[in-house]
Amino acid sequence: MLERQGRVEAALEGVLPGVEHAPSQLHSAMRYAVLGGGKRVRPLLAYAAGELVGADPRRVDLVASSVELIHAYSLVHDDLPCMDDDRLRRGKPTVHVEYDDATALLVGDSLHSLAFQVLTENALASDATRQLQMAATLARAAGSRGMAGGQAIDLQSVGKRLSVPELEFMHVHKTGALIRASVQLGAMCADSAGAVDLELLDRFGKVAGLGFQLVDDVLDAAASTATLGKTAGKDASDNKPTYVTVLGVERSRKLAIELYDEALAVLEQLPHGGGRLGDIARFIFHREF
Ligand code: GRG
């Protein structure tokens, strides 16, 4: 994981504009938002899925960078005063606190565009149609029927009681869509999936995405700000429905174990037991930060 985190860090460093290019302050803020922080779970999933299907890791570097750029943009916008209004992210002041609101807005916009630039101006597939499908996969995952739509539901849900299926719908979109796309895009870097059943791989991505958010809800309620590098207990103070407010900590933990078992059962059906995807699943479901 450390090797791959280092790999994506170098790839991100390579695609982000340097501060020597104008507008220097915007580029500085983009680099502040992306570099030197975060668990890089989405890139790790892309690398693991790519490895399973024999993809060229140099292609996966770019795909992993593009999903992380979308993720970083979403965090910058999510932290703005008009959304979650948070002051701490990845253990440091959020972008609008360190710079200002307008810069943070433009950082998000620019990272979003950069993600698609990376995905389209490099050869990531031997077949152009395949590469168009890759861009479409990321666009769908990030848009109103994916992450942005999930965020809209999240914002509308403040102060409301959601049922478990409603909560699941929100999380599958807000957090799950990009995680699922990370697995898909890593696998799409190979010209042929070989013996790998891509539908199974996608089922894993779906379960891992939901599990990631479920564990996030538990950690928000149970872990400290210092451990998380972001404000703990924010969901409760913002009056947001989460798995913990709907089910309680114990039932949420139990559900996480069930989802982990489901993820492992899917992986068992893949060659090499899903390879490194199993390690990442263990990390996602057992993480403490
Ligand atoms: C603004 C369009 C738009 C979307 C925002 C993802 C998201 C949607 C908001 C983030 C809010 C949040 C805390 C969601 C919980 C799950 C989550 C995505 C946590 C942050 O992801 P990590 O834990 O962060 O992978 P690091 O810093 O490790 O990259």
Side-chain angles (χ1 to χ4, degrees), residues 38-39 42 71 73-74 78 90 151 212-213 216 230:
K39 298 178 285 295
R42 294 150 195 82
H71 171 58
Y73 122 70
S74 81
D78 181 68
R90 294 176 165 176
Q151 177 78 346
F212 186 88
Q213 180 62 58
D216 209 77
K230 61 181 181 178

Side-chain angles (χ1 to χ4, degrees), residues 20 23 83 110 157 159 174 233 276 286:
E20 68 280 14
M83 292 213 191
S110 305
S157 304
K174 186 179 89 163
R276 291 179 209 266
H286 295 288

Side-chain angles (χ1 to χ4, degrees), residues 170-209:
M170 174 172 86
H171 287 338
V172 158
H173 289 81
K174 186 179 89 163
T175 313
L178 193 59
I179 290 191
R180 190 175 175 188
S182 304
V183 176
Q184 286 173 335
L185 286 167
M188 287 171 94
C189 287
D191 290 329
S192 141
V196 176
D197 182 337
L198 290 180
E199 264 186 45
L200 271 181
L201 204 56
D202 189 43
R203 259 180 60 201
F204 168 77
K206 208 172 164 189
V207 176

Side-chain angles (χ1 to χ4, degrees), residues 16-206:
L16 281 161
V19 292
E20 68 280 14
H21 297 295
S24 178
Q25 199 222 25
L26 177 59
H27 292 151
S28 154
M30 286 165 73
R31 298 175 75 83
Y32 178 86
V34 175
L35 297 175
K39 298 178 285 295
R40 311 298 195 203
V41 166
R42 294 150 195 82
L44 288 173
L45 286 165
Y47 283 118
E51 186 176 66
L52 204 60
V53 294
D56 180 341
R58 287 167 303 183
R59 284 183 182 174
V60 188
D61 287 339
L62 295 163
V63 154
S65 300
S66 67
V67 290
E68 188 66 17
L69 289 168
I70 293 286
H71 171 58
Y73 122 70
S74 81
L75 297 181
V76 174
H77 279 190
D78 181 68
D79 289 333
L80 278 167
C82 63
M83 292 213 191
D84 266 12
D85 193 9
D86 222 321
R87 303 183 64 80
L88 190 70
R89 171 72 66 184
R90 294 176 165 176
K92 52 187 195 180
T94 45
V95 176
H96 67 276
V97 169
E98 185 71 14
Y99 293 84
D100 53 58
D101 289 9
T103 304
L105 198 62
L106 290 171
V107 163
D109 295 342
S110 305
L111 295 177
H112 182 275
S113 293
L114 184 59
F116 287 98
Q117 187 184 332
V118 168
L119 213 50
T120 49
E121 73 179 9
N122 300 284
L124 299 176
S126 304
D127 171 24
T129 307
R130 170 86 152 191
Q131 187 152 350
L132 274 176
Q133 282 168 355
M134 292 167 90
T137 297
L138 188 62
R140 266 198 303 271
S144 65
R145 301 193 67 186
M147 182 183 75
Q151 177 78 346
I153 300 170
D154 180 290
L155 294 170
Q156 286 158 9
S157 304
V158 173
K160 290 195 185 144
R161 272 192 75 84
L162 295 190
S163 64
V164 172
E166 285 169 334
L167 199 60
E168 185 173 318
F169 184 86
M170 174 172 86
H171 287 338
V172 158
H173 289 81
K174 186 179 89 163
T175 313
L178 193 59
I179 290 191
R180 190 175 175 188
S182 304
V183 176
Q184 286 173 335
L185 286 167
M188 287 171 94
C189 287
D191 290 329
S192 141
V196 176
D197 182 337
L198 290 180
E199 264 186 45
L200 271 181
L201 204 56
D202 189 43
R203 259 180 60 201
F204 168 77
K206 208 172 164 189

